[in-house]
């Protein structure tokens, strides 16, 4: 996802979706914040936007290019875009001064304000400056806040290290989130995560609890002896979705043992090769 001129594009969206009076109010507030360098006014305006701009949908006619596609994916509304526009503008004006203040929003924001900040971090200038609050959000047990950083969000794939990524993936499963909504699972797969997935699965099995079959997606390139035994269990399961997940893991693996497990299972191989079975269609 390549994003350019975010501030200008957001300005255009707001120009076409908010009343002129409200638009002028926001512009004046932003100019004052930039002039005064006021942390208090920035936080207050970020919060006050909710009383000035309702969270109405953005007309699709105003959603174009990569930015528009991302806003649609996240279900962005006008109120959220006003908040992000505020942050983008102050950072464009004086990033050195405002970046620490923007990063501290996680400490003062309410749940809705925090969700907006996390969902659209990637739109801010130098989004890597906000890795600490993004990682801190992984600790929450509020599903909507956690999902704001974990789901449909390219930020973790771009900026989280392996440990942080693995923590996010496992917690998404633990919180029964939509694992298929995590960006770049294949690219961020790693051997340690494959081990964690196997260990977690064994804990769930021992407690007679189900596992989302999609959970197994990152293990294909790391099928050691223990994981091959897990694949055999999936392929022999009475649950067709587990069969399909096991088939996908084995098919895309380079491990000889994985190919051996698929012997005699031509139906699944054919479905994968003709693309009727994929991780995208796993639960169809």
């Amino acid at each position: 996802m390549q994003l350019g001129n975010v501030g200008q594009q957001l300005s255009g969206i707001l120009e076409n979706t908010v009343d002129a009076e409200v638009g002028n109010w926001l512009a004046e507030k932003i100019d004052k914040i930039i002039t005064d360098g006021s942390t208090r006014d920035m936080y207050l305006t970020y919060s006050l936007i909710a009383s000035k701009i309702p969270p109405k949908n953005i007309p699709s006619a105003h959603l174009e290019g990569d930015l528009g596609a991302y806003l649609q994916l996240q279900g962005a509304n006008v109120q959220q875009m006003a908040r992000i526009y505020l942050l983008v503008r102050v950072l464009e004006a004086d990033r050195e001064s405002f970046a620490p203040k923007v990063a501290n929003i996680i400490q003062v924001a309410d749940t809705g304000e925090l969700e907006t900040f996390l969902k659209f971090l990637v739109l801010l200038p130098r989004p890597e400056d906000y890795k600490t609050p993004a990682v801190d959000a992984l600790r929450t047990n509020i599903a909507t806040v956690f999902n704001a950083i974990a789901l449909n969000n390219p930020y973790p794939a771009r900026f989280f290290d392996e440990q942080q990524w693995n923590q996010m993936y496992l917690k998404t499963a633990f919180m029964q989130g939509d694992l298929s909504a995590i960006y770049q699972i294949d690219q961020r797969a790693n051997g340690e995560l494959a081990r964690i997935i196997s260990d977690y699965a064994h804990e769930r099995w021992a407690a007679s609890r189900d596992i989302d079959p999609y959970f197994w997606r990152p293990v294909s390139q790391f099928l050691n002896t223990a994981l091959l035994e897990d694949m055999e269990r999936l392929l022999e399961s009475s649950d067709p979705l587990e069969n399909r997940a096991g088939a996908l893991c084995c098919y895309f693996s380079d491990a000889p043992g994985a190919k051996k497990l698929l012997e005699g299972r031509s139906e699944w191989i054919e479905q994968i090769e003709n693309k009727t079975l994929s991780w995208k269609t796993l639960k169809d």
Side-chain angles (χ1 to χ4, degrees):
M1 182 173 69
Q2 299 297 319
L3 299 172
N5 300 318
V6 170
Q8 184 178 342
Q9 292 184 71
L10 292 179
S11 177
I13 290 172
L14 293 172
E15 217 173 284
N16 288 298
T17 53
V18 303
D19 295 338
E21 182 180 347
V22 174
N24 289 336
W25 170 84
L26 181 59
E28 289 171 4
K29 287 291 186 183
I30 290 172
D31 288 343
K32 187 175 188 305
I33 291 165
I34 292 171
T35 301
D36 297 347
S38 173
T39 304
R40 180 181 178 279
D41 284 350
M42 186 186 76
Y43 294 155
L44 184 59
T45 303
Y46 189 82
S47 181
L48 280 175
I49 282 171
S51 67
K52 295 285 186 177
I53 302 175
K56 64 181 181 180
N57 294 333
I58 302 170
S60 58
H62 303 312
L63 297 173
E64 300 177 347
D66 284 347
L67 176 61
Y70 182 63
L71 298 185
Q72 284 186 305
L73 179 65
Q74 285 284 26
N77 62 52
V78 179
Q79 184 183 103
Q80 291 172 327
M81 290 307 92
R83 283 180 168 148
I84 295 305
Y85 177 64
L86 161 64
L87 300 183
V88 169
R89 280 290 314 280
V90 300
L91 288 167
E92 287 177 342
D94 188 351
R95 190 189 64 80
E96 184 176 351
S97 173
F98 281 106
K101 302 168 184 176
V102 169
N104 200 48
I105 277 181
I106 195 171
Q107 304 297 331
V108 298
D110 66 22
T111 298
E113 294 165 2
L114 182 53
E115 288 171 29
T116 296
F117 177 66
L118 295 170
K119 274 187 177 183
F120 303 106
L121 269 179
V122 73
L123 304 185
L124 301 182
R126 285 185 54 90
E128 61 271 27
D129 289 346
Y130 313 102
K131 182 176 173 180
T132 296
V135 172
D136 286 346
L138 299 180
R139 301 190 180 99
T140 184
N141 288 319
I142 303 172
T144 54
V145 173
F146 179 82
N147 291 344
I149 190 63
L151 306 185
N152 296 316
N153 195 334
Y155 192 93
R158 287 178 59 184
F159 299 113
F160 282 8
D161 64 26
E162 184 175 289
Q163 181 182 9
Q164 293 156 353
W165 170 265
N166 293 353
Q167 178 189 354
M168 183 191 75
Y169 191 84
L170 182 63
K171 188 164 181 177
T172 302
F174 180 77
M175 296 181 71
Q176 298 183 315
D178 181 5
L179 291 164
S180 67
I182 295 178
Y183 267 62
Q184 297 190 349
I185 290 177
D186 296 330
Q187 293 88 333
R188 292 303 307 263
N190 58 82
E192 178 63 12
L193 179 58
R195 183 194 64 77
I196 291 170
I197 287 171
S198 180
D199 289 347
Y200 181 73
H202 281 263
E203 291 176 9
R204 300 283 293 183
W205 286 332
S208 299
R209 293 180 177 175
D210 294 335
I211 303 164
D212 182 348
Y214 200 95
F215 186 52
W216 295 96
R217 179 169 181 170
V219 308
S220 287
Q221 296 307 313
F222 308 96
L223 294 185
N224 55 21
T225 301
L227 277 159
L228 285 170
E229 291 176 0
D230 294 339
M231 294 303 101
E232 186 172 12
R233 174 165 179 157
L234 295 179
L235 293 168
E236 298 294 340
S237 170
S238 59
D239 182 347
L241 290 181
E242 290 192 333
N243 300 156
R244 290 155 67 91
L248 285 164
C249 289
C250 290
Y251 183 87
F252 291 108
S253 174
D254 297 327
K259 305 304 181 188
K260 187 173 180 61
L261 286 175
L262 287 179
E263 290 178 1
R265 306 179 193 273
S266 57
E267 179 183 355
W268 292 332
I269 294 174
E270 183 179 339
Q271 289 177 9
I272 294 170
E273 291 182 345
N274 66 27
K275 302 189 186 314
T276 57
L277 172 57
S278 66
W279 287 110
K280 186 176 180 179
T281 66
L282 175 66
K283 298 180 182 180
D284 291 351

